[in-house]
Amino acid sequence: MINYPAGADQQNQTTPAPTTFWTRNALFGSWDGMKPTLSDNGITIGFNEQAVTSNVLGGGARQGDEFAALLTPSARVDLGRYTGIPGLAAYVSAWVVQGHGPTAFNVHSLSGLAYVEAPDGARLADAYLTWHAPHDAIHVKVGKFGIDENFDQNPAAATLLNSNFTYRDIMANNLPGGGPAYSYEGPGAMLGVQATKLLRLRIGLFSGDPLGRPLEGPQPPARDAGGLAFPLDTGALFIAEADDAYRMPGLGNGTLRVGGLYDTLSRPDLLFSITGQSLAASSPGPARPDRGEYVIYAGDTQTLWHGLDTRRLRGFARLAYAPPAQNAITLDVQAGLVLDAPLVDRPDDTAALAISYDRISTRKIDFVRSENAITGSALPIPASETDVELDYNAELAPWLIATPDMQYIVRPGGGIADPTTPSRREPNVFAAQLQLTLTF
């Protein structure tokens, strides 16, 4: 914030107060003047780090501490000043993932306890051209990017760490290659149109599998480990969405989102082989390929109460469905409450409480039942996973945000077997986390 000292406006000019370590926008300030110089030439650079310390306090496969972090260097170039085309820009970024979180090692939940969790290493993230018409009437984007940053947005849940509230499990767990999203985005194009003052329409076309074709061999190397592949021969993913802004009398502003996607690639059936046998039978043959991979979704964000200045209470609700034949998750339901400025003297803080429910496909359930009947085993029957999250987002400085977080996972993985006792479900999980977000 800029403060204006008394007596400084003698010539209709204002002099900003000098910034201190705790009031500067970035940890390293202006980088000895390099950032302003680049900005004067239409180049904006950024370095952000999200570091998450997690502790599984109870339940899961095992308890203990884990650490995961994500460094995101980025650069945006205003091409309009060089080409004479206003609104044209180029953007490129990378992801440097460090460590690993508890999800894959301790918890085995459908949702990532922290969105930054991903295979460690460095990879290309975004690389695209974008153009905005005046007043944002038209928006075009072409290159490598993700559907998670352009479609099915949930801005009210921006401070929540659980990945399901940012990029739904019903997409991340079902789509080929996880769909074009963090941490492997794909080549694509998007067109957005502000059809009316309140209605926005967007359509997108992406590669059907952002990782490219599966690699052969008993131990195939990681597909597109560096994020440098731009696969254009792996089918296509179509997505479309409509956003309607409205105002509820007596409450406040709201946004309703409705959309759907379709992937042309076939997916293996969860129960039947190409011969029609149950995959739980002995020598059933390969799984039957099923086409018709789609997800339909809707979401609503509504201001429920507005106090003084930035204080407000927002609520969100989201719903998504996918067909059961080839998808492990067929229904995703979410809801949450977000309180901005929960403390009067901390206007930039946020508190959030949210819950999500993922229902397991009936085909997957029937497969486990058939396997138990054929083999005589007693594996637990999967059903659903429910995640509850509570967090507080505290801005300690413009360059430092701390987010203490607690999560409770009911039936991790939808009710998978406990590794130590396969006849029972893995116990419910209670985990505590702390995320630090730094802007360099």
Side-chain angles (χ1 to χ4, degrees), residues 356-425:
S356 67
Y357 169 86
D358 287 328
R359 189 175 70 191
I360 300 299
S361 163
T362 53
R363 289 279 178 93
K364 189 175 181 66
I365 294 172
D366 290 343
F367 170 79
V368 177
R369 285 176 174 159
S370 298
E371 190 176 37
N372 284 345
I374 293 172
T375 64
S377 56
L379 294 174
I381 306 300
S384 63
E385 175 180 303
T386 301
D387 301 357
V388 181
E389 180 175 6
L390 173 67
D391 78 4
Y392 189 93
N393 199 65
E395 183 178 296
L396 305 181
W399 51 267
L400 176 61
I401 297 174
T403 308
D405 177 271
M406 293 186 296
Q407 295 185 40
Y408 187 71
I409 313 295
V410 181
R411 291 185 297 272
I416 60 174
D418 188 333
T420 60
T421 311
S423 61
R424 71 173 187 177
R425 288 173 171 162

Side-chain angles (χ1 to χ4, degrees), residues 246-262:
Y246 66 90
R247 183 173 182 82
M248 186 73 70
L251 294 176
N253 295 329
T255 302
L256 174 66
R257 292 179 173 85
V258 179
L261 63 83
Y262 180 86

